[in-house]
Amino acid sequence: MADQPNVVLICVDQWRGDCLSADGHELVHTPHLDALAARGARFRRGYSATPTCIPARAALMTGLSQRSHRRIGFENGRPWDYSTTMAGEFGRAGYQTQAIGKMHVYPERTRLGFDDVILHDGYLHYVRKRQRPYEEFDDYLPWLRMQAGASAVEDFCDNGVNSNSMVARPWDKPEAWHPTSWTVTQAMSWLYRRDPRSPFFLYLSFDRPHPPFDPPAWAYEQYLAEEPYHPVVGDWVEALEPYYQDWRHNPFAARMKPAVLHRARAGYYGHLAHLDLQINRFLEILGEFGLAEDTIVCFISDHGEMLGEHNLFQKGLPYEGAARIPFLLSGPGIEAGQVRDEIVELRDVMPTLLNAAGLKPPGTVEGRSVLPLLADPPAASWRDHLHGEHPHFQQTLHWIADDRWKYIWWSHSGQEQLFDLAADPKECHDLAADPACSSDMDRLRGLLVEQLRGREEGYVDAAGLVTGRAPRTWLDHG
């Protein structure tokens, strides 16, 4: 056991895959995550196949595809009853396992194989009921109310900003009380209390940069002072006309006022700056405990954020802003400075971390360890495409991504889209009607047909894809 590395999985909520300065972002500055990537490997094409919190975390914790974990959309209140989980496998191998922060499971205190959970899921409307004591579903709020100077009714939502809102403003309390800072403080405290005779698996899970967009003032203001925000808008956005809700503070599709959108970007990017520093704080603390050299560190997000691109917001969408995620891996045995372009996704995290710890993933796992891609020479065989999906706009949006293309099918309207990600990474030009791309359309559509064949929704018949089927958030049968 003494030779086994510790493992830390850092998961953030709603961090776009392009929002790292190491990825070439023109504004975002993430020097400490860049340094983590430089010490190991960065996967430029990480994806969340079901890009909202609940189904994405099912893939993360089980190593399963959505067809097998069966959560194909966002649905609260459905019990998590998976018998094989990442934390459970580490525990069976003698690891002490701890989760700190966001779980987003049901019942809320479900441990998913962890020895212990210190819980903060952010503001969840499904959970926040005044007839329930907060202690049943949250550890941060009781802690907040015990801080010197806090009131008996202190709350992290005192500023009135909703949990999916594009309204942004600075954090209204001491920075040390911010949920991002609290998560690292709890991790530092736990490192004192862990069993030093056992290796550990720590899941450090942050609620931010998920809204509310309320970073500390210093982080907010540095991006508020930037030039006005002009998000990219593709030549295909007329398809969104029926879905615009310009009046909403939390829209999925809207033509938002430029000033409001600029403030939202400042709030979102400000969260990234705050997180970058707090993750660095944790990594420094890890070093102070003498654990940095013996610990595998993985950094991922559950999904991204559209942030006004193509007049779209939030998550659950097939476009790169929502579906693409960061995926960094560093630690003993990981050669520094590697950048890979293979398609990896959340179900690959479980087998990767078990593999990195010298453990064999269970036979149920459908993801693949990325470590063979980091070998010399790298593995020659890898997945050639990924199927993603999520209900949206009263239908389900399915997509297939390969090493160059992304094909999207809207299940009710039958609309198809095709983007050349190599030439058009911002997905501004829909090539679905281009005769020169017809063979690629046919090929990618055929891959989607094979992915959906036999599914209970009835998306496929002898003639191909079937439109008009009712969208679902859950599969009764895998």
Side-chain angles (χ1 to χ4, degrees), residues 140 171 174-183 208 214-216 271 274:
Y140 164 71
W171 179 244
E175 185 173 333
W177 295 5
H178 195 282
T180 294
S181 302
W182 172 85
T183 303
R208 304 302 197 271
D214 60 352
H271 273 322
H274 186 207

Side-chain angles (χ1 to χ4, degrees), residues 197-212:
R197 300 166 300 174
S198 302
F200 64 80
F201 170 55
L202 173 62
Y203 177 55
L204 192 59
S205 180
F206 295 90
D207 176 60
R208 304 302 197 271
H210 189 292

Side-chain angles (χ1 to χ4, degrees), residues 30-105:
T30 52
H32 303 103
L33 287 171
D34 295 351
L36 177 67
R39 292 195 296 271
R42 178 167 63 91
F43 294 86
R44 283 192 286 222
R45 297 200 66 200
Y47 282 102
S48 177
T50 46
T52 58
C53 300
I54 291 176
R57 288 163 199 272
L60 177 65
M61 290 298 177
T62 66
L64 299 176
S65 68
Q66 63 268 26
R67 186 159 185 163
S68 295
H69 67 63
R70 299 192 288 167
R71 297 177 193 269
I72 54 173
F74 186 99
E75 180 182 347
N76 281 302
R78 187 174 290 279
W80 287 59
D81 53 3
Y82 303 110
S83 59
T84 303
T85 64
M86 178 159 42
E89 292 303 300
F90 274 110
R92 274 188 276 276
Y95 275 68
Q96 183 177 359
T97 60
Q98 176 71 45
I100 299 174
K102 185 161 188 170
M103 294 287 285
H104 212 154
V105 298

